[in-house]
Amino acid sequence: MDNESVRLNSSIAKCKNCGAKLVFDPKTMKLKCFSCNGLYDITTTIKQVRHPYTEIDNKEYIEWVNLNKTVKCEMCGAIVKLNSLDITQRCPYCSNDYLLDINDIKGVKPDNVIPFLYDYNEALEEFKKQVKNNFFVPTKFKKNLTTNNIEGFYAPSFLFDAKTYSKYSGVLEREETYTDSKGNRHTETERF
């Protein structure tokens, strides 16, 4: 099948061939239909905007975080409550993934999204490897490792301009300690 462009205007992108939900595939960096194996290019625009620090409105953001938010699943029509900071959720009834409209989010919004590099199976294997190789992970946790609830999430980050002036001062020293032939210890300090 030829690649077709799909513009993501809603939280659900559907395959033009079979109507199934499209999922981002990190290996191809395209949207993939796992029903008919159709691939769709993602239309992207990269913006790099400098945000003034005064753009942050903490009061408005705090109010938004404390609000009870509900979303309607576009697949089955269920109404689902979101936790305070969630902007994505999986419908508990039909397992559809949905996303809050970016205009509904208060405060500074991310300008770009960096895509995932690993698919689900690769991420799962990497997680298992890290748990097994970590000395400080309790043995009981390693033996009873459940991996059915592992999910990816996007962590937004922001870049703000700042003008700073810093002044540092210090002294560099090298210290040598040695023992002479009589068994006496001597320490010599050299400053640069």
Side-chain angles (χ1 to χ4, degrees):
M1 175 185 150
D2 293 335
N3 293 331
E4 295 182 62
S5 289
V6 174
R7 186 172 291 277
L8 297 176
N9 291 328
S10 68
S11 59
I12 299 176
K14 294 185 179 180
C15 179
K16 291 181 180 179
N17 295 330
C18 67
K21 181 174 71 170
L22 297 177
V23 177
F24 178 74
D25 181 24
K27 290 181 180 175
T28 61
M29 293 295 188
K30 298 178 184 210
L31 292 176
K32 183 174 184 177
C33 174
F34 286 95
S35 295
C36 69
N37 290 323
L39 288 176
Y40 297 87
D41 289 331
I42 300 173
T43 305
T44 59
T45 56
I46 297 176
K47 299 184 296 183
Q48 291 187 343
V49 180
R50 289 185 179 192
H51 297 280
Y53 185 72
T54 55
E55 189 175 318
I56 299 174
D57 184 356
N58 284 332
K59 182 179 178 190
E60 182 183 11
Y61 178 72
I62 290 170
E63 288 173 0
W64 181 79
V65 167
N66 292 326
L67 281 175
N68 288 327
K69 294 177 286 296
T70 57
V71 293
K72 182 176 181 179
C73 177
E74 293 180 21
M75 192 72 87
C76 71
I79 305 294
V80 181
K81 181 181 173 190
L82 292 177
N83 293 331
S84 61
L85 292 173
D86 287 346
I87 60 169
T88 62
Q89 187 67 274
R90 179 169 289 149
C91 179
Y93 304 105
C94 69
S95 296
N96 177 48
D97 296 320
Y98 50 87
L99 176 68
L100 280 183
D101 188 326
I102 196 158
N103 296 321
D104 292 340
I105 302 170
K106 303 294 182 193
V108 180
K109 299 164 183 67
D111 295 314
N112 301 302
V113 175
I114 299 171
F116 292 117
L117 295 177
Y118 301 110
D119 66 13
Y120 179 78
N121 293 327
E122 290 171 329
L124 193 62
E125 290 306 312
E126 186 64 28
F127 173 71
K128 288 178 183 177
K129 185 173 85 174
Q130 292 296 325
V131 168
K132 288 181 181 179
N133 293 338
N134 193 324
F135 178 77
F136 295 105
V137 173
T139 306
K140 189 175 183 180
F141 179 78
K142 288 180 184 180
K143 287 182 179 178
N144 298 322
L145 185 63
T146 58
T147 56
N148 57 346
N149 290 334
I150 293 177
E151 294 183 13
F153 70 95
Y154 290 102
S157 61
F158 304 93
L159 178 63
F160 290 92
D161 265 350
K163 291 182 181 178
T164 64
Y165 174 74
S166 302
K167 186 176 180 179
Y168 297 93
S169 64
V171 176
L172 181 62
E173 294 181 349
R174 181 172 66 188
E175 191 174 278
E176 261 185 59
T177 304
Y178 63 92
T179 306
D180 63 16
S181 59
K182 296 180 182 178
N184 298 325
R185 287 181 60 113
H186 299 279
T187 302
E188 292 181 358
T189 305
E190 183 180 2
R191 289 189 178 189
F192 299 96

